[in-house]
């Protein structure tokens, strides 16, 4: 161990410095690529979410088509009562709710009407212990809340003061832990701690009913300080697709149907928005260039059963005379749902559109107002639209929700539009934070962020990104397989020489056009296809390592693909037809439904195919079909996953 | 001659599309601008590895005369295309990275202790921020030995990227 001369020491320290720089440089590059991958995953989740919403609107077109053409089958047989407007009056609370007994064996929370803050605490504690509130109380709460909501105007007016700030929360989507976290950080609602909940309380998360109950009970205890706005998911049609209906039927096997019926009307009484200090407009989605608050103050909001179900003429007799004027549902050039013909029981078209804009629109940087082609409803509104509408109605700011933001909130349009989103980890573990905002006149809004964490938060960043990425890629691949025929046709068209390969740019073009998703295809390509050294894509490689779990051999592949693609839609239609929620429908119902479906969606399946499918599905030959079982066979499975344990059930 | 020019045009066109895709993912409001703090991430996601100093200079080049906190796509595109064409800021090969760790591991033990790593990364060179340091530690350090076996660590990171 000799002694170092000073020059050796300098050389060593220079080498060491170089080494440090190398490691830092490499790490920063790696970390940045992780962040980019996370952002790509989020982009995938988001575009598919909005594309699904668009599908939902298409599905409603199908429903109205089906309603019109189902004249041969008696209305009662397929339970179209659920689909048609509810002509029968809701039985009064006394007729039904009081008949429900809460047995002594029930160990869950027992509410005492009139409710007090003790009931809020009771409910919170019970839900923390994962108890389920008895259906009787659910119904009672819904009835009482509806009664009180009926007295509220379309827009609730709220005033703040230095000692009374108001807290605005965004989408919760059934995430109970986020609600607990908000109450923990910000305190329970009370006379001195008012809240506004800006819609989308339900769907997607596992505890939609619990979230809704807490909000309703809090509202009943503090009706002047707990404000609820309607979101686009406070809509029974959305609930069919996005999980709330399933959750109710699962948790409430006896009274679930009644709860769902009650919710249909309950939602319509939720106010459209809140106005704070006469200067801040709080609505779920946004605005459009034609938004007219004066009109919106006056509309009969309870006539808007479902934003998605257009009004139709009620037929007194069901003859097959199709010269009857049809309800024509089309998506017009402006992306709005147009209808002709309406009843006095429904809002006039232009009023419907105003409400749809409020619940569905998204702000964008581009000036002007454009149809919201991502979601299929409402519009994209630019900063000029915001300024125009705010000036017109002497307002200063819009607070809205509706879009998941990585930080839980986002400010745009020069500070005039704030998005607030309160469901953390919305798409996947660590996908985003949640946030709420506190407002007080005269001071700037204050934002508070949080994130629900569990044991998995100890996973290092790269692992969380991997999980998210795998999840996103998987659903993207499912999309691809559901459009396999169209994709292959597009690839073959581009690949003149039928070499099986395409340059990345052409592959990306096909993917974007056929799937209709605006994604960074080039960056994602390595996750989806095999690319050779020349940078050419082996376009069939995407389809090689994913397959459908139990392909029904007798059915041809086009049918299989169709079932795959329309799986969600079919499930919803089935659920709507299966009125007693037994999980079974009759063969006759199935055939009729399928024929209409294939006609409307322009899928060419002939009668013999339909019969074959029907008989395949009726495995025990008793004349009824367990459709959900059959559909499960068409879930796309990745080969390597057959060895892994099944995914947790997704209620959405 | 003409062929070569065509090929270069195609390459440039592809670069443009790739750059646009990477940029758009961070353009949250669809205004053709991104927050300047995301530029480093975007450039690195395109496969380049500038040092912090080089990144700083790049940003100065593409910022507005009066910095707004946002970078416009029109300014970003030509600069980034140039970088890709010239193959600037190439990433560090795995073996060079390994040797760098070995240099710091003066006692040649095959690992660095947590304290050594913290000292090097957050006090020397282009020091890490606290966030960067914490993230690296959470993935690199084995809690039992409180050290990082850098060979394993490198392999793990490389596998994850592929």
């Amino acid at each position: 161990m000799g002694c170092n001369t000073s020059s050796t020491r300098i050389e060593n320290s220079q080498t060491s410095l170089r080494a440090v720089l190398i490691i830092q440089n490499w790490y920063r590059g790696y970390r940045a690529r992780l962040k980019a991958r996370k952002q790509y995953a989020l982009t995938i989740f988001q575009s598919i979410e909005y594309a699904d919403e668009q599908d939902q609107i298409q599905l409603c077109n199908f429903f109205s088509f089906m309603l019109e053409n189902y004249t041969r089958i008696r209305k009662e047989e397929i339970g179209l009562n659920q689909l048609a407007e509810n002509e029968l009056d809701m039985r009064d609370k006394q007729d039904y709710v009081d008949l429900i007994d809460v047995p002594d064996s029930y160990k869950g929370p027992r509410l005492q009407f009139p409710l007090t803050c003790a009931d809020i605490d009771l409910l919170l504690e019970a839900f923390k212990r994962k108890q389920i509130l008895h259906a009787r109380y659910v119904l009672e709460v819904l009835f009482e809340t509806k009664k009180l909501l009926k007295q509220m105007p379309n827009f609730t007016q709220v005033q703040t003061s230095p000692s009374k700030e108001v807290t605005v929360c965004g989408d919760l989507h059934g995430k109970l832990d986020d609600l607990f976290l908000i109450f923990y950080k910000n305190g329970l609602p009370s006379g001195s701690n008012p809240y506004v909940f800006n819609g989308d309380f339900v769907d997607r998360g596992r505890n939609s009913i619990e979230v809704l109950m807490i909000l309703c009970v809090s509202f009943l205890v503090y009706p002047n300080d707990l404000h609820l706005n309607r979101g686009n998911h406070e809509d029974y049609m959305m609930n069919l697709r996005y999980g709330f209906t399933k959750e109710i039927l699962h948790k409430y096997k006896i009274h679930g149907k009644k709860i769902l019926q009650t919710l249909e009307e309950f939602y319509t009484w939720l106010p459209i928005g809140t106005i704070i200090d006469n200067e801040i407009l709080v609505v779920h989605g946004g605005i459009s260039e034609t938004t007219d608050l004066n009109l919106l103050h006056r509309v009969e909001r309870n006539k808007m059963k479902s934003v998605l179900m257009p009004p139709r003429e009620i037929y007194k007799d069901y003859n097959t005379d199709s010269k009857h004027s049809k309800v024509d549902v089309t998506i017009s050039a402006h992306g709005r749902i147009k209808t002709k013909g309406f009843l006095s029981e429904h809002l006039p078209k232009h009023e419907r559109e105003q409400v749809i804009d409020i619940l569905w629109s998204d702000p964008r940087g581009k000036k002007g107002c454009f149809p919201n082609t991502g979601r299929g409803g409402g519009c994209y509104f630019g900063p000029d639209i915001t300024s125009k509408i705010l000036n017109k109605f002497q307002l200063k700011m819009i607070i809205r929700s509706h879009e998941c933001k990585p930080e839980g909130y986002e400010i745009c349009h020069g500070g005039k539009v704030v998005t607030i989103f309160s469901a953390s980890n919305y798409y996947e573990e660590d996908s985003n934070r949640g946030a709420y905002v506190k407002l007080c006149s005269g001071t700037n809004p204050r934002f508070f962020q949080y994130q629900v964490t569990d044991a998995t938060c100890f996973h290092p960043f790269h692992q969380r990104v991997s999980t998210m990425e795998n999840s996103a890629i998987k659903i993207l691949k499912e999309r691809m397989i559901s459009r396999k025929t169209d994709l292959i046709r597009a690839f073959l068209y581009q690949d003149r020489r039928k070499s099986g390969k395409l340059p990345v740019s052409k592959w990306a073009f096909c993917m974007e056009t056929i799937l209709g998703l605006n994604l960074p295809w080039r960056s994602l390509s390595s996750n989806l296809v095999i690319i050779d050294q020349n940078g050419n894509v082996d376009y069939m490689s995407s389809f090689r390592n994913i397959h459908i779990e139990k392909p029904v051999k007798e059915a041809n592949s086009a049918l299989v693909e169709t079932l795959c693609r329309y799986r969600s839609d079919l499930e919803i239609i089935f659920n709507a037809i299966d009125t007693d929620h037994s999980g079974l429908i009759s063969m006759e119902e199935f055939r009729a439904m399928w024929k209409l479906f294939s006609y409307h969606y322009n899928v060419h399946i002939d009668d013999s195919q339909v019969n074959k499918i029907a008989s395949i599905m009726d495995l025990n030959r008793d004349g009824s079909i367990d459709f959900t079982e059959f559909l499960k066979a068409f879930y796309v499975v990745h080969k390597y996953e057959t060895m892994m344990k099944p995914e947790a059930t997704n209620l959405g | 001659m003409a062929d070569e020019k065509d090929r270069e045009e195609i390459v440039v066109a592809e670069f443009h599309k790739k750059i646009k895709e990477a940029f758009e993912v961070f353009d949250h409001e669809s205004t053709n601008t991104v927050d300047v703090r995301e530029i480093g991430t975007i450039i690195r996601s395109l496969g380049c590895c500038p040092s912090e100093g080089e990144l700083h200079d790049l940003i100065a080049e593409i910022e507005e005369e009066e910095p707004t906190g946002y970078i416009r796509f029109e300014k970003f595109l030509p600069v980034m295309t140039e970088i890709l064409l010239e193959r600037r800021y190439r990433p560090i090969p795995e073996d060079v990275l390994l040797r760098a760790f070995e240099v710091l591991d003066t006692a040649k033990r095959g690992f660095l202790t947590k304290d050594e790593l913290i000292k090097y990364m957050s006090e020397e060179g282009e020091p890490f921020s606290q966030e960067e340091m914490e993230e690296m530690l959470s993935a690199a350090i084995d809690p039992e030995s409180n050290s990082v076996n850098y060979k394993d660590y490198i392999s793990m990171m490389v596998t994850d990227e592929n």
Side-chain angles (χ1 to χ4, degrees):
Chain A
M1 198 141 101
C3 52
N4 282 330
T5 62
S6 62
S7 67
T8 322
R9 229 176 296 139
I10 292 171
E11 207 183 281
N12 281 346
S13 70
Q14 274 182 347
T15 322
S16 155
L17 175 64
R18 269 202 298 275
V20 168
L21 285 169
I22 285 172
I23 296 172
Q24 286 168 336
N25 179 306
W26 161 81
Y27 186 75
R28 286 188 167 112
Y30 169 73
R31 187 168 175 264
R33 284 188 293 281
L34 275 182
K35 283 206 268 179
R37 279 163 62 193
K38 178 175 174 177
Q39 194 60 41
Y40 292 152
L42 289 176
T43 307
I44 292 174
F45 286 130
Q46 209 161 53
S47 20
I48 288 190
E49 177 183 19
Y50 300 161
D52 270 355
E53 288 184 351
Q54 212 187 108
D55 284 351
Q56 181 71 354
I57 291 185
Q58 291 299 326
L59 182 65
C60 295
N61 295 346
F62 171 66
F63 272 132
S64 55
F65 174 85
M66 195 162 84
L67 285 172
E68 276 170 54
N69 291 282
Y70 243 167
T71 52
R72 279 164 285 135
I73 299 169
R74 283 198 315 270
K75 200 170 143 196
E76 296 80 49
E77 247 178 22
I78 49 174
L80 277 176
N81 276 328
Q82 262 193 243
L83 304 173
E85 295 303 325
N86 208 345
E87 304 141 38
L88 311 165
D89 240 309
M90 292 290 295
R91 272 148 120 220
D92 216 335
K93 176 180 157 192
Q94 268 59 47
D95 286 354
Y96 190 89
V97 177
D98 290 348
L99 293 175
I100 304 178
D101 245 339
V102 182
D104 290 336
S105 58
Y106 169 70
K107 295 281 173 269
R110 288 169 189 264
L111 300 175
Q112 291 217 321
F113 289 82
L115 300 173
T116 63
C117 55
D119 294 290
I120 302 179
D121 291 330
L122 189 66
L123 221 50
L124 289 170
E125 284 313 302
F127 290 157
K128 280 187 183 138
R129 289 195 303 269
K130 312 231 189 286
Q131 291 178 327
I132 295 187
L133 183 66
H134 195 277
R136 191 234 159 81
Y137 295 121
V138 171
L139 287 163
E140 216 168 340
V141 166
L142 288 176
F143 275 117
E144 290 298 319
T145 308
K146 184 183 86 178
K147 220 162 70 178
L148 206 46
L149 285 175
K150 273 184 179 177
Q151 298 167 26
M152 303 268 164
N154 290 345
F155 287 88
T156 318
Q157 301 280 354
V158 172
Q159 306 296 330
T160 64
S161 69
S163 58
K164 194 171 170 179
E165 283 180 301
V166 70
T167 305
V168 179
C169 299
D171 296 27
L172 284 168
H173 280 303
K175 313 282 242 80
L176 192 54
D177 285 341
D178 286 89
L179 187 55
F180 286 153
L181 195 46
I182 294 171
F183 284 163
Y184 176 74
K185 282 174 70 99
N186 196 51
L188 292 178
S190 72
S192 53
N193 193 20
Y195 277 87
V196 176
F197 286 92
N198 199 16
D200 279 11
F201 322 124
V202 300
D203 274 338
R204 298 184 164 266
R206 288 167 204 267
N207 296 101
S208 296
I209 189 64
E210 284 79 26
V211 167
L212 187 61
M213 282 296 108
I214 292 174
L215 294 180
C216 288
V217 166
S218 304
F219 171 73
L220 287 170
V221 178
Y222 299 107
N224 298 320
D225 297 298
L226 192 304
H227 311 286
L228 302 170
N229 291 342
R230 191 175 185 185
N232 65 315
H233 279 262
E234 274 71 56
D235 180 323
Y236 74 100
M237 289 290 294
M238 295 294 277
N239 295 161
L240 279 174
R241 177 186 278 262
Y242 288 100
F244 189 31
T245 307
K246 236 185 198 165
E247 182 188 327
I248 296 280
L249 295 174
H250 178 74
K251 286 177 178 166
Y252 297 101
K253 297 201 169 25
I254 305 170
H255 300 290
K257 196 172 151 198
K258 184 66 182 174
I259 295 176
L260 291 173
Q261 279 177 355
T262 311
L263 280 169
E264 268 181 54
E265 205 206 334
F266 168 84
Y267 288 145
T268 65
W269 285 108
L270 288 166
I272 296 171
T274 303
I275 299 178
I276 300 177
D277 293 331
N278 295 322
E279 55 182 29
I280 301 178
L281 177 67
V282 187
V283 289
H284 178 73
I287 52 172
S288 79
E289 62 186 343
T290 52
T291 293
D292 181 354
L293 287 181
N294 296 326
L295 183 146
L296 284 166
H297 276 295
R298 291 188 326 251
V299 304
E300 294 175 83
R301 69 180 190 268
N302 63 304
K303 289 186 177 175
M304 191 86 167
K305 264 277 169 70
S306 167
V307 150
L308 300 170
M309 182 65 105
R312 54 179 280 278
E313 291 180 7
I314 291 182
Y315 300 104
K316 292 299 173 199
D317 60 329
Y318 289 77
N319 55 31
T320 53
D321 179 13
S322 57
K323 287 197 212 87
H324 223 309
S325 70
K326 285 175 155 197
V327 175
D328 183 16
V329 182
T330 52
I331 306 270
S332 75
H334 292 288
R336 295 169 200 273
I337 303 172
K338 281 207 303 194
T339 61
K340 7 180 223 193
F342 55 86
L343 291 174
S344 59
E345 278 161 44
H346 305 276
L347 289 183
K349 179 185 93 171
H350 66 286
E351 289 183 8
R352 271 183 67 80
E353 280 178 8
Q354 290 268 336
V355 177
I356 291 173
D357 285 340
I358 293 287
L359 297 181
W360 284 77
S361 299
D362 293 309
R364 285 293 179 266
K366 196 169 161 190
K367 286 188 179 173
C369 189
F370 305 91
N372 191 324
T373 47
R375 298 189 195 258
C379 64
Y380 292 129
F381 61 99
D384 51 333
I385 306 292
T386 299
S387 296
K388 178 175 144 201
I389 299 292
L390 287 179
N391 285 338
K392 190 168 171 195
F393 298 102
Q394 285 118 41
L395 298 165
K396 291 220 179 109
M397 178 162 53
I398 299 174
I399 298 182
R400 43 89 62 178
S401 304
H402 199 39
E403 285 182 291
C404 175
K405 297 292 177 191
E407 292 301 315
Y409 73 97
E410 194 174 271
I411 305 174
C412 63
H413 292 190
K416 298 208 179 110
V417 173
V418 167
T419 302
I420 194 92
F421 192 85
S422 300
S424 66
N425 307 328
Y426 179 58
Y427 291 121
E428 182 55 83
E429 180 213 338
D430 198 32
S431 63
N432 63 290
R433 292 186 161 130
Y436 56 87
V437 58
K438 293 186 79 93
L439 304 161
C440 173
S441 67
T443 58
N444 287 330
R446 296 187 296 142
F447 294 91
F448 294 82
Q449 297 165 297
Y450 54 85
Q451 197 161 10
V452 168
T453 54
D454 55 24
T456 50
C457 78
F458 298 117
H459 287 166
F461 185 49
H462 73 274
Q463 217 167 310
R464 300 197 309 266
V465 171
S466 272
T467 306
M468 211 184 310
E469 192 179 50
N470 289 339
S471 191
I473 295 295
K474 182 172 164 206
I475 55 178
L476 193 49
K477 279 186 170 167
E478 285 184 6
R479 275 289 139 133
M480 286 169 67
I481 213 182
S482 75
R483 304 297 304 262
K484 184 172 160 184
T485 309
D486 290 339
L487 278 172
I488 293 179
R489 198 184 305 132
F491 292 146
L492 288 173
Y493 182 76
Q494 297 281 343
D495 180 18
R496 297 301 160 101
R497 283 174 289 148
K498 308 294 172 246
S499 60
K501 300 226 174 146
L502 280 175
V504 176
S505 54
K506 290 201 170 156
W507 173 84
F509 173 76
C510 294
M511 294 294 279
E512 174 130 3
T513 317
I514 300 293
L515 295 180
L517 296 170
N518 182 14
L519 293 174
W521 294 109
R522 284 161 189 77
S523 310
L524 295 172
S525 57
S526 54
N527 288 316
L528 299 170
V529 276
I530 294 176
I531 305 178
D532 68 19
Q533 314 98 308
N534 301 323
N536 288 323
V537 167
D538 171 1
Y539 52 80
M540 291 302 290
S541 58
S542 319
F543 304 113
R544 263 177 237 135
N545 69 347
I546 43 176
H547 69 281
I548 296 169
E549 193 176 58
K550 279 186 260 179
V552 180
K553 289 200 187 66
E554 293 86 343
N556 66 24
S557 66
L559 179 59
V560 166
E561 190 179 315
T562 303
L563 284 166
C564 228
R565 179 153 144 195
Y566 295 107
R567 191 182 71 220
S568 302
D569 293 358
L570 289 172
E571 208 167 323
I572 294 168
I573 294 169
F574 177 83
N575 285 332
I577 289 176
D578 176 26
T579 46
D580 60 2
H581 302 293
S582 59
L584 305 169
I585 57 172
S586 79
M587 294 284 280
E588 184 54 46
E589 287 166 357
F590 172 75
R591 279 202 195 87
M593 177 197 97
W594 185 259
K595 281 196 180 145
L596 279 180
F597 179 89
S598 50
Y599 177 72
H600 183 262
Y601 279 89
N602 231 356
V603 172
H604 302 294
I605 309 286
D606 57 48
D607 281 3
S608 62
Q609 282 281 323
V610 177
N611 288 333
K612 214 173 225 172
I613 287 289
S615 61
I616 291 165
M617 285 168 35
D618 180 20
L619 295 170
N620 58 1
R621 305 272 172 262
D622 68 350
S624 62
I625 292 164
D626 188 344
F627 198 54
T628 46
E629 274 308 310
F630 179 71
L631 271 186
K632 277 193 190 141
F634 289 91
Y635 275 81
V636 173
V637 164
H638 299 246
K639 264 197 189 131
Y640 61 85
E641 268 182 41
T642 51
M643 298 176 285
M644 290 158 64
K645 60 180 193 314
E647 306 257 329
T649 319
N650 182 349
L651 285 171
Chain B
M1 210 56 112
D3 242 347
E4 221 180 271
K5 189 152 190 286
D6 281 344
R7 229 173 292 143
E8 190 182 314
E9 270 177 23
I10 294 175
V11 165
V12 168
E14 262 308 288
F15 279 164
H16 281 185
K17 293 220 187 86
K18 205 163 168 208
I19 296 168
K20 186 160 194 282
E21 271 186 2
F23 191 89
E24 276 179 353
V25 161
F26 290 90
D27 176 13
H28 303 297
E29 285 182 53
S30 311
T31 46
N32 282 334
T33 62
V34 301
D35 191 317
V36 65
R37 291 166 294 184
E38 315 252 47
I39 283 292
T41 308
I42 298 174
I43 295 177
R44 286 168 174 140
S45 76
L46 289 164
C48 303
C49 288
S51 69
E52 289 292 279
E54 286 163 335
L55 189 58
H56 188 82
D57 293 338
L58 270 174
I59 290 178
E61 213 183 305
I62 55 183
E63 245 177 350
E64 306 296 313
E65 277 93 50
E66 306 231 347
T68 59
Y70 288 94
I71 303 291
R72 285 189 299 123
F73 182 65
E74 299 84 56
K75 286 204 125 182
F76 181 67
L77 182 65
V79 174
M80 193 66 224
T81 311
E82 191 79 16
I83 292 172
L84 288 181
L85 279 171
E86 292 175 9
R87 297 171 62 79
R88 258 192 275 163
Y89 313 127
R90 297 270 81 210
I92 315 285
E94 199 181 323
D95 56 331
V96 172
L97 184 59
L98 181 58
R99 248 179 294 142
F101 273 104
E102 285 171 350
V103 162
L104 298 181
D105 178 18
T106 45
K108 307 291 167 236
R109 300 152 297 179
F111 63 84
L112 288 175
T113 68
K114 179 174 169 184
D115 289 337
E116 284 171 342
L117 192 62
I118 293 178
K119 176 168 156 298
Y120 282 127
M121 294 296 117
S122 51
E123 290 177 24
E124 304 192 20
E126 291 177 327
F128 275 175
S129 67
Q130 190 178 357
E131 209 190 325
E132 287 170 320
M133 193 70 248
E134 274 170 14
E135 261 178 38
M136 186 186 214
L137 291 174
S138 78
I141 298 290
D142 166 24
E144 277 178 31
S145 61
N146 234 17
S147 65
V148 53
N149 177 321
Y150 44 83
K151 211 165 177 189
D152 290 345
Y153 176 57
I154 294 173
S155 312
M156 179 172 73
M157 298 293 112
V158 165
T159 318
D160 181 55
E161 290 243 82
N162 304 337

